[in-house]
Amino acid sequence: MLEAAHRFWLQGKPESIKPYGEGHINQTFLMITDVGVWYILQKINARVFLDIPALMQNIDRVTRHLARENSDPRRVLTLVPTTDGQDYCVDPAGESWRVYVFVRDSLCLQAPEDTTDFFRSGQAFGRFQRQLADFPAGSLHETIRNFHNTPERFRQLEAAARYDTKGRLARVKEEMDFALARVERAGRLQRLVKEGRLVTRVTHNDTKLNNVLLDALTREPLCVIDLDTVMPGLAAHDFGDSIRFGASTAAEDETDLDRVSLSIPMFKAYAQGFLAECGDSLTQDELRSLSEGAWAMTLECGMRFLTDYLSGDSYYRVHREHHNLDRCRTQFKLVREMEEKWDRMEGIIEKLSPL
Ligand code: ADP
Ligand code: GN1
Ligand code: MG
């Protein structure tokens, strides 16, 4: 790790490197140099990202585009080059590493403390989408194929259940039935794309609250991070993934499902922030698809956790034996909540829609 760190153009020499953050995919470290400058050092997950040069090219292009609109370095994620001018390096073991400027005096929340925090997260992701509206979406690489293709995620779940490599299928019958009962509806957004009613744009595709940094003092939105999955996608997916994580009343891996529900005030706050920033640029069909996006992203995420559970926890980092199953269960509980609170969700979007 230290060897990789030395390959970057740093102010000072790396003095301490410690694991940092709560992401499920990459290995992230806080690196502090002997002159007191902070960096994020990351080992990119090569099992998840099969074409790292393409992924880094996307990030380089997108961050440069955003930097043209924001001169403040705390407002755009900034890659630190290697001493030979590359944006990442490969160590002797074949692992890929990159370094970002650390956004100082920022907050990365695992749950919103109040509706204002979540409103601001909505502003950050809405602004991100607006600022990339003139970026040619088709020129970005697809870093994970079929990432938010929900019907394809069903096929992956069914395959994992068929192989049942860990002998876990017997204990997830209820969860399998829950997912399979929703196959038809889960294809709705993809059908609208096929019919030409929904457009693809440059989207983030992983809009969890902990992928946005707020100013530690003012709590204003600063910077959207974790750009590995920026690629063409649907506005509904970006809206929806934020809701499934931040509008839940409990953590993603809560084991007491009585504590998990959908907070309507949080839903409303996020929608307000998001639509205030990018609502004008969305079509009527896109606005109407936002609640569906929340439902679909939550179901899809639950199915992805279940698939990983059945396949032996090889995708998401886990910290206990049935961690992925616990995560799946919170998502399915939220799906049920959304089905029950559907009219209220739709009513909020309708009221806030600029059209
Ligand atoms: P993962 O793909 O594993 O989620 P992230 O890129 O989201 O990785 O990084 C993990 C965590 O590291 C974030 O949730 C955040 O706490 C922190 N982080 C990442 N980049 C920065 C940055 N530039 N400045 C400050 N903190 C950061
Ligand atoms: C992963 O990387 P992280 O922790 O921000 C995952 C998302 C899931 C999320 C569930 C590349 O996000 O798609 O929704 O976990 N990222 C990838 O918490 O698969
Ligand atoms: Mg992350």
mmCIF file of all heavy atoms in Angstrom, residues 23 210-211 226, ligand 3:
data_model
loop_
_atom_site.group_PDB
_atom_site.id
_atom_site.type_symbol
_atom_site.label_atom_id
_atom_site.label_comp_id
_atom_site.label_asym_id
_atom_site.label_seq_id
_atom_site.Cartn_x
_atom_site.Cartn_y
_atom_site.Cartn_z
ATOM 1 N N GLY A 23 -17.850 2.494 2.980
ATOM 2 C CA GLY A 23 -18.273 1.980 1.673
ATOM 3 C C GLY A 23 -18.248 0.455 1.655
ATOM 4 O O GLY A 23 -17.484 -0.173 2.397
ATOM 5 N N ASN A 210 -24.184 8.547 2.043
ATOM 6 C CA ASN A 210 -22.750 8.596 2.346
ATOM 7 C C ASN A 210 -21.875 8.752 1.106
ATOM 8 O O ASN A 210 -20.662 8.646 1.183
ATOM 9 C CB ASN A 210 -22.303 7.414 3.224
ATOM 10 C CG ASN A 210 -22.458 6.074 2.547
ATOM 11 O OD1 ASN A 210 -22.667 5.990 1.342
ATOM 12 N ND2 ASN A 210 -22.349 5.001 3.314
ATOM 13 N N ASN A 211 -22.517 9.039 -0.032
ATOM 14 C CA ASN A 211 -21.753 9.400 -1.221
ATOM 15 C C ASN A 211 -21.881 10.886 -1.529
ATOM 16 O O ASN A 211 -21.673 11.334 -2.659
ATOM 17 C CB ASN A 211 -22.186 8.543 -2.415
ATOM 18 C CG ASN A 211 -21.632 7.125 -2.293
ATOM 19 O OD1 ASN A 211 -20.589 6.906 -1.667
ATOM 20 N ND2 ASN A 211 -22.316 6.164 -2.871
ATOM 21 N N ASP A 226 -17.699 9.147 -4.876
ATOM 22 C CA ASP A 226 -17.935 7.769 -5.327
ATOM 23 C C ASP A 226 -18.488 7.741 -6.756
ATOM 24 O O ASP A 226 -19.639 7.339 -6.990
ATOM 25 C CB ASP A 226 -18.902 7.053 -4.357
ATOM 26 C CG ASP A 226 -18.758 5.542 -4.456
ATOM 27 O OD1 ASP A 226 -18.110 5.069 -5.405
ATOM 28 O OD2 ASP A 226 -19.306 4.836 -3.590
HETATM 29 MG MG MG B 3 -19.501 4.980 -1.369
#
